[in-house]
Amino acid sequence: MSAGGAPDPLPDALRFAAEPVPGRLALILRASRRPLQALSLLLTRLSGRRLRAAQRFIALTGAHHQLDWPADRVPSGEPPAALAAAGIEFIEADAGGAVRLASEGPAIVLLSVRGQQIAVGASAAIAAAFADPDLHALYGDALFRPSSRGPWLPVLRPAFDRDDLRSVDYLGPVIALRRASVLDPNPIVGAAALDLTLGVAARFGPAAVRHLPRILSFGKLEGGGEGRQASRHARLKVVARDLARAGEGGTRVVLEDDGVIRLARPLPEPRPLVSLIVPTRDRLDLLRPCIESLRRRTDWPAKEILICDNGSRDPATLAYFRALEADGAARVVACPGPFNFAAINNRVAAEARGRLLAFINNDVEAEAPDWLERLVSEALRPEIGAVGARLIDGEGRIQHGGIVLGTGGLVTHGHRHFPGAAAGYLGALRATRSVAAVTAACLVVETQKFFRVEGFDASTFAIDFNDVDLCLRLNAIGLRTLYVGGAVLHHRESASRRPSPESAARHRSEVEALKQRWGPLLAQDPHYHPGFDPNLSTHLRLRRGWTGLEPAEPR
């Protein structure tokens, strides 16, 4: 329901747009509660470093979507004759959401729902894309308006991702397909675009479905309010059908309260052993809550805890180690020498007995007891490499929602500083979806996959970016990285590390190494829309000057 008690008009994928956004005065008051940081921010702004000041302001006050689309930038409609001239048949769903495709007609069909207008230039853009014979389905971006007088909401979609699409239907309502590629001319009513697209991907492979980063349509919203339950029921049917096609009929399809679909895949019996690897040097104030959460608030039955002891000296920490080992609750592995996060984890991983490795920072605490089950069920899939979780920082804000390449100067944690309970743009914070990388603060991977790429690169990325590099090397051999939004933990980021001139120099060298090794990928994350501002927190603001009718240049 909306604040006034009226039915929420937003479809599940767009409910992020209903989240409250503090006004400017509220943000200034929030910043004033930390006067030293606010003063530093002001001095940064006065010195002319506007971008750095904006980044610090967001970190201080929190991130919220600022996505209103200027009314003077709404495109005009495409004349119907332009579609016909491009060899495209326009088909609109009936009032009940049913779509029927005739077996004969133009090679390309453009499906839509009532209330949508096709944007000027869409015909030419669609026809040009389908000149590639390997393309079988195409979707673009849209502008939606919840009311006749309200602001326009830009919906900038990610690249095609079957996992994400099963979780959240980010596609509708306009999609173009090759008529000959459609298996079922009568798709499931209420989720026709979703059903047809997943069917094409099942038949021709995921590369046959592509995203065109351009506004193809604009109009009123569909799928919210009274129609939400019918839409959810249709999505459940589509996802169950797609799983059956993929030979995963034994997977349970679960609808969460927020409309996100979770797939509960069958797990092997007995449950495979997971080795939970936690590096530390003293800091019992962090370590004890971490270990106890792994012991008491993690309901996976087959687990071993390995503590990488990097030279702890505090008597209380050493006594805690002895108590854990006496109880058989953990093994403590001595890892002396200068702190090298990658090398320490590699060393202990070599001694682990588990089929899976779970790398956990000592400043991370489990919250929901099923977090490990959710991550393991995805990591066991043959095509998946590293798997990560949603991490909430000490202020209750998003610390990690997947890693996005090419933003914030190099890489950024997705939705950084957004409220911890936020849905995320197009449900991204709650979905299970492909990402470029995930943080090693909580990363699960099968042991044999980890060693297949020789683990973390300890010589090049001792402290920073070893997780990004690991994920990209796994991706390079065909193993996708997944973010699982339903697995939630708390992370007091870098609470156990202290800045120094040496660490700053080392960080700069690792930045350069990442650029040299993965430079082309860092230009534009394949899972992130180029229409967003690349300089700030992800999904926060649109790229300045972008009209949505032409390609946005990579960073």
Side-chain angles (χ1 to χ4, degrees):
M1 302 288 283
S2 66
D8 182 356
L10 296 167
D12 285 325
L14 304 186
R15 297 182 77 179
F16 69 90
E19 293 169 350
V21 178
R24 183 176 296 274
L25 179 59
L27 293 175
I28 293 173
L29 289 174
R30 189 178 297 178
S32 69
R33 295 170 190 159
R34 296 184 179 178
L36 292 179
Q37 289 177 285
L39 178 60
S40 174
L41 188 159
L42 179 60
L43 293 174
T44 301
R45 181 67 178 82
L46 292 175
S47 69
R49 292 177 290 171
R50 302 180 61 177
L51 178 58
R52 176 61 62 85
Q55 292 170 334
R56 289 184 176 180
F57 186 75
I58 292 165
L60 183 60
T61 63
H64 303 84
H65 298 293
Q66 303 169 24
L67 300 173
D68 286 352
W69 190 269
D72 60 359
R73 207 183 293 171
V74 177
S76 56
E78 183 89 294
L83 288 167
I88 301 170
E89 180 183 2
F90 180 78
I91 299 177
E92 192 173 66
D94 65 22
V99 170
R100 294 174 179 82
L101 279 71
S103 58
E104 301 293 332
I108 307 301
V109 294
L110 184 66
L111 305 184
S112 181
V113 297
R114 295 183 177 185
Q116 293 299 302
Q117 295 188 63
I118 306 305
V120 64
S123 302
I126 293 170
F130 276 98
D132 182 349
D134 294 326
L135 175 65
H136 295 267
L138 182 75
Y139 61 96
D141 304 318
L143 295 175
F144 284 137
R145 205 174 196 179
S147 67
S148 59
R149 297 184 180 180
W152 289 93
L153 173 66
V155 178
L156 311 183
R157 299 181 170 97
F160 177 72
D161 175 14
R162 200 172 185 178
D163 284 290
D164 193 5
L165 193 52
R166 287 168 169 174
S167 292
V168 178
D169 182 5
Y170 58 76
L171 276 185
V174 171
I175 186 166
L177 305 104
R178 288 192 191 277
R179 187 187 303 271
S181 305
V182 175
L183 283 173
D184 186 351
N186 299 301
I188 290 174
V189 175
L194 178 66
D195 191 19
L196 290 167
T197 302
L198 289 174
V200 166
R203 184 178 182 186
F204 298 100
V209 182
R210 297 178 203 164
H211 169 241
L212 181 65
R214 181 197 190 281
I215 292 173
L216 292 183
S217 67
F218 58 99
K220 67 179 182 179
L221 291 163
E222 298 285 348
E226 301 301 328
R228 176 170 289 123
Q229 289 307 316
S231 174
R232 289 178 173 180
H233 181 68
R235 287 173 52 218
L236 287 169
K237 290 173 64 177
V238 169
V239 173
R241 172 186 281 188
D242 190 50
L243 289 167
R245 276 192 300 250
E248 298 183 70
T251 297
R252 234 173 7 106
V253 183
V254 180
L255 181 68
E256 306 280 15
D257 292 341
D258 55 10
V260 173
I261 291 176
R262 175 171 64 90
L263 303 184
R265 290 186 164 81
L267 289 163
E269 290 288 357
R271 297 289 192 259
L273 180 67
V274 180
S275 298
L276 297 146
I277 298 174
V278 184
T280 198
R281 177 185 293 170
D282 293 317
R283 292 307 304 264
L284 186 58
D285 59 320
L286 298 174
L287 181 66
R288 190 196 300 271
C290 171
I291 297 299
E292 295 308 310
S293 77
L294 300 182
R295 295 178 65 190
R296 318 288 184 193
R297 296 200 302 276
T298 301
D299 58 11
W300 188 260
K303 59 181 183 284
E304 63 168 357
I305 299 174
L306 296 93
I307 299 175
C308 323
D309 177 23
N310 184 225
S312 296
R313 297 181 180 179
D314 177 54
T317 302
L318 299 178
Y320 182 60
F321 287 166
R322 290 192 294 270
L324 288 172
E325 292 194 305
D327 287 345
R331 277 195 289 150
V332 179
V333 181
C335 300
F339 181 67
N340 182 319
F341 178 89
I344 288 170
N345 278 291
N346 283 345
R347 175 174 178 175
V348 178
E351 297 191 24
R353 301 193 304 262
R355 176 177 169 183
L356 298 104
L357 305 172
F359 298 99
I360 309 291
N361 275 17
N362 68 345
D363 53 1
V364 166
E365 297 176 41
E367 178 184 279
D370 66 347
W371 71 272
L372 188 53
E373 178 177 328
R374 287 181 181 245
L375 297 184
V376 168
S377 66
E378 303 296 342
L380 288 172
R381 296 165 60 187
E383 72 273 21
I384 301 302
V387 180
R390 176 163 38 128
L391 302 183
I392 311 298
D393 69 17
E395 298 184 49
R397 306 186 307 193
I398 296 296
Q399 186 275 326
H400 172 263
I403 291 176
V404 181
L405 307 179
T407 56
L410 189 65
V411 299
T412 306
H413 286 195
H415 289 90
R416 185 77 167 98
H417 304 303
F418 276 77
Y425 191 81
L426 298 181
L429 283 173
R430 300 183 183 179
T432 293
R433 57 190 176 84
S434 297
V435 292
V438 293
T439 177
C442 177
L443 185 155
V444 175
V445 62
E446 280 195 283
T447 304
Q448 58 90 8
K449 295 172 183 173
F450 179 75
F451 285 110
R452 184 176 163 191
V453 295
E454 301 181 345
F456 294 112
D457 184 344
S459 61
T460 309
F461 303 107
I463 309 296
D464 293 321
F465 309 120
N466 40 62
D467 43 14
V468 176
D469 177 69
L470 172 71
C471 293
L472 294 181
R473 284 185 285 117
L474 287 166
N475 297 349
I477 63 170
L479 298 174
R480 289 188 292 120
T481 301
L482 281 190
Y483 162 82
V484 180
V488 183
L489 302 96
H490 290 275
H491 182 207
R492 289 177 276 183
E493 183 182 23
S494 300
S496 59
R497 289 160 57 185
R498 298 288 182 265
S500 68
E502 293 78 14
S503 66
R506 184 263 314 148
H507 175 75
R508 287 193 295 270
S509 70
E510 292 179 347
V511 166
E512 290 307 312
L514 189 72
K515 290 179 179 178
Q516 289 180 20
R517 181 172 292 181
W518 300 108
L521 286 180
L522 300 178
Q524 178 62 56
D525 191 308
H527 306 287
Y528 189 61
H529 198 291
F532 288 111
D533 188 327
N535 296 310
L536 300 177
S537 295
T538 67
H539 305 92
L540 180 88
R541 188 171 76 186
L542 301 176
R543 184 186 289 259
R544 295 189 185 279
W546 183 61
T547 68
L549 299 179
E550 76 285 335
E553 294 297 324
R555 179 181 174 82

